[in-house]
Amino acid sequence: MTVLRISYLWDNLVPLGMGLRRAADGVLDFVLPMGTRRLPGLAAADIGPCALGIFQRCGQFIGHTVRIASECLDGAQIAAALSGAIGEPVRCVTTPLANRRRYRATATIRTAPTARSL
C-alpha cells in the first residue's frame, strides 16, 4: 500500500478564514496565523498528476508514504502571489498560531487565484 499525503491546498487559502481584510489605510491585509513559518501547499488540480507520476513508477513507492507539495511559501510570498492574482496590493500580517481562531470569524473578501500554483 502507498499513502499519498497532500499539503495545504492553495484553493482553500481565502475561503477557510485566512483571508483578506481591508485595513484602515485601504490596503488588503492577508492574515497568516502561523508566525514567520513557511506553508507548504499545492493546487487541488495538481494532486492527480502527482498521483499518476507515483503510479507510473510501478512498485517504487509500495509501502511508502509520499508527501507532496508544489511550493513552500512564507507570508510575504503568499501575499505577493495573491496581489498578482487579484491585481491589488496585499500585505502579509503574521500572528502567532494561537490567534488562528480569532481571525476565522473575520469577514473576508472572496477571491481565488487563477494560477494552479500560488
Side-chain angles (χ1 to χ4, degrees), residues 4-93:
L4 180 64
R5 295 211 173 154
I6 63 170
S7 55
Y8 188 81
L9 291 175
W10 295 135
D11 309 64
N12 292 333
L13 192 63
V14 174
L16 289 184
M18 292 193 325
L20 303 173
R21 61 185 176 139
R22 194 159 307 275
D25 62 1
V27 176
L28 289 173
D29 281 345
F30 167 67
V31 178
L32 186 62
M34 53 187 277
T36 58
R37 290 180 281 179
R38 292 180 175 270
L39 181 63
L42 79 158
D46 292 335
I47 298 170
C50 287
L52 177 62
I54 290 166
F55 291 142
Q56 288 175 333
R57 294 193 181 172
C58 298
Q60 182 179 349
F61 293 103
I62 291 177
H64 293 277
T65 297
V66 180
R67 293 172 176 84
I68 60 173
S70 61
E71 301 166 295
C72 192
L73 305 177
D74 63 24
Q77 292 169 316
I78 295 170
L82 287 170
S83 180
I86 65 172
E88 185 174 345
V90 176
R91 170 178 52 212
C92 177
V93 177

